[in-house]
Amino acid sequence: MSSPTAKTSAVTPRKTMRGHTDPLSNVAHLPDGQRIITSSWDGSLRLWDLESGVQIGDEWRDQGVKAGVGTMALSPNGKTVASGNRDRTVRLWDIETGKVIAGWQGHTRAVESVCWSPNGKRVVSGSVDGTARVWDVKHVKSGEPVKGLNPIKTGDAVLWAVSYSPKATMVATGGFNRNVKIWDAIKYPVRYSDFQVLSIAVKDNLPARRKADHGIKIWDAKTGKLLNTVKLDGSVTSLAWTSDEKKLISGLLNGLIRIFDTATWQQIAVLHGTSDVTSITLFQNDRLLASTSYWDKTARLWNLDTNLQVGSPIQHEDHVRCSAFSADGKLLSTGCVDKNAYVWDVQAILKTAGLEDLLSIPDSVSVTHCLINNINPDII
């Protein structure tokens, strides 16, 4: 075990998946343990063989659509993918055919976060328009919105994270609350995501219009009523509930990972040591967390028994946007701005640290199926 200040690891990826023509936005392991799926700003989803690292079949595209895919999430039964897209839509894809089976419209700007309800009957989406929308999967073709829940006007200028609680009683949302008009449209081409442009603007010290107001908001999943607001000191990029619904973990662009007790909404732990947090993913046993960082180009493993970093950061050659554990936790896949996906041997890292027990899985766990694609540095 090591502290968060440990030097960067010399660990190398087991496999590298190459083929996308723009940065990756998300990655997911399929339940069979043999395949992963990736999404990209190039507008495609792709299926890959974990053993060989080779793409399986052709890329997936909705006919005639060129808009990038901002995020995706695998359904609880592992048969369908929901994607959030740059053309303001949410699409459902059949895993076995790679075909679109539904396309839902309603958001007025790009969709950057999607999450399935635990029973797979609903999908919640979060958008750069600052709203969350809930879709009824039973009405696949029409994409009928759930009455009383659409849209959920969060008050955030940009919504980067949406997450159903494991018992489907609550939906958590996060982003930042500011009208950001800080970039030169000529200098930063339209093909960049809002997140990438915002990060460039911050690094270039472009002026911001007003102080940001960050936080997590908790909504009643049935009525859409606001239940709680947790104020924070950084933009929220990603959210993860523990399977017992007793804790909510948040990743922030200021580099902190804050953990809250959902009974009181008080902070009970904070993890630190990275430049920024673009995504977090929680292994199903609630004991092992992975985070990714844009600016320091790393992924990190965290022991949630002690709230300390495991080993050294997993160094990449380019900015890291997303990650996902395999079902058994032995592998971690990451997606990067360099257009590649990488597969890392988590079991070997834990063995070196003497922490293989962090992969033990209880007989019964509840997994929330969200893949929350997220961003770059903080907007303070």
Side-chain angles (χ1 to χ4, degrees):
M1 184 185 305
S2 65
S3 71
T5 58
K7 293 182 179 180
T8 301
S9 172
V11 173
T12 57
R14 285 183 44 163
K15 295 293 178 183
T16 300
M17 283 72 166
R18 297 181 175 89
H20 282 291
T21 57
D22 268 319
L24 268 65
S25 59
N26 235 321
V27 59
H29 283 255
L30 297 186
D32 60 18
Q34 299 175 0
R35 299 173 294 171
I36 64 169
I37 184 170
T38 55
S39 61
S40 168
W41 296 347
D42 66 15
S44 74
L45 284 78
R46 299 176 189 233
L47 199 61
W48 307 85
D49 181 84
L50 263 178
E51 184 65 28
S52 66
V54 174
Q55 183 175 319
I56 301 172
D58 297 329
E59 63 182 17
W60 303 359
R61 287 187 181 271
D62 195 3
Q63 188 173 5
V65 176
K66 296 182 179 179
V69 181
T71 189
M72 66 170 178
L74 186 66
S75 65
N77 64 11
K79 296 180 179 180
T80 310
V81 166
S83 68
N85 308 291
R86 304 290 299 165
D87 64 0
R88 311 170 187 176
T89 65
V90 176
R91 291 187 176 88
L92 297 186
W93 305 74
D94 182 277
I95 289 290
E96 295 308 319
T97 66
K99 303 295 183 182
V100 172
I101 56 178
W104 300 332
Q105 298 180 342
H107 285 293
T108 59
R109 292 192 67 188
V111 180
E112 296 291 346
S113 181
V114 289
C115 183
W116 291 82
S117 63
N119 62 10
K121 293 182 178 180
R122 291 182 176 181
V123 171
V124 61
S125 56
S127 169
V128 179
D129 65 16
T131 70
R133 290 180 178 266
V134 181
W135 310 91
D136 192 337
V137 179
K138 291 187 299 183
H139 301 277
V140 170
K141 295 299 182 183
S142 65
E144 183 176 323
V146 178
K147 293 181 180 179
L149 291 175
N150 284 290
I152 297 175
K153 298 179 179 180
T154 66
D156 292 313
V158 173
L159 200 60
W160 283 329
V162 293
S163 183
Y164 263 105
S165 66
K167 298 177 184 177
T169 57
M170 296 173 282
V171 172
T173 64
F176 75 92
N177 187 16
R178 178 170 63 179
N179 181 22
V180 180
K181 300 290 184 183
I182 56 178
W183 58 85
D184 183 328
I186 297 176
K187 183 176 180 181
Y188 304 119
V190 174
R191 74 178 185 87
Y192 286 132
S193 76
D194 291 294
F195 304 143
Q196 190 175 22
V197 171
L198 287 173
S199 71
I200 294 170
V202 171
K203 284 296 182 182
D204 284 355
N205 294 316
L206 298 181
R209 290 195 172 184
R210 62 178 183 268
K211 185 178 179 180
D213 180 17
H214 311 288
I216 302 168
K217 293 180 180 178
I218 309 299
W219 309 85
D220 186 297
K222 292 184 178 180
T223 66
K225 178 183 177 181
L226 180 63
L227 301 176
N228 283 286
T229 299
V230 181
K231 292 187 177 182
L232 296 171
D233 56 353
S235 302
V236 180
T237 65
S238 43
L239 296 164
W241 301 80
T242 55
S243 58
D244 59 8
E245 209 172 87
K246 292 182 178 180
K247 297 176 185 177
L248 180 64
I249 306 170
S250 61
L252 309 181
L253 278 180
N254 62 13
L256 300 179
I257 298 172
R258 297 189 180 276
I259 304 176
F260 297 90
D261 182 330
T262 59
T264 63
W265 293 110
Q266 296 299 305
Q267 180 177 292
I268 55 176
V270 59
L271 316 181
H272 53 85
T274 183
S275 62
D276 58 279
V277 179
T278 55
S279 74
I280 57 174
T281 181
L282 181 63
F283 183 47
Q284 60 177 307
N285 67 4
D286 297 334
R287 299 177 61 201
L288 184 63
L289 183 79
S291 67
T292 60
S293 300
Y294 188 89
W295 291 115
D296 66 18
K297 304 176 184 178
T298 65
R300 297 170 190 249
L301 299 176
W302 303 89
N303 178 353
L304 294 186
D305 292 347
T306 62
N307 296 324
L308 294 176
Q309 185 176 307
V310 177
S312 299
I314 302 171
Q315 188 66 49
H316 295 64
E317 294 184 0
D318 208 336
H319 309 297
V320 192
R321 291 182 53 91
C322 53
S323 67
F325 284 111
S326 59
D328 59 11
K330 294 179 180 179
L331 300 175
L332 181 76
S333 292
T334 55
C336 296
V337 172
D338 66 5
K339 311 170 190 177
N340 299 332
Y342 300 91
V343 181
W344 307 86
D345 191 335
V346 172
Q347 186 175 32
I349 295 172
L350 295 179
K351 184 176 181 180
T352 299
L355 292 170
E356 285 184 279
D357 180 60
L358 288 179
L359 293 179
S360 62
I361 302 174
D363 292 337
S364 178
V365 294
S366 174
V367 180
T368 301
H369 290 256
C370 306
L371 284 176
I372 304 172
N373 154 60
N374 299 304
I375 22 216
N376 306 335
D378 201 1
I379 314 294
I380 299 297

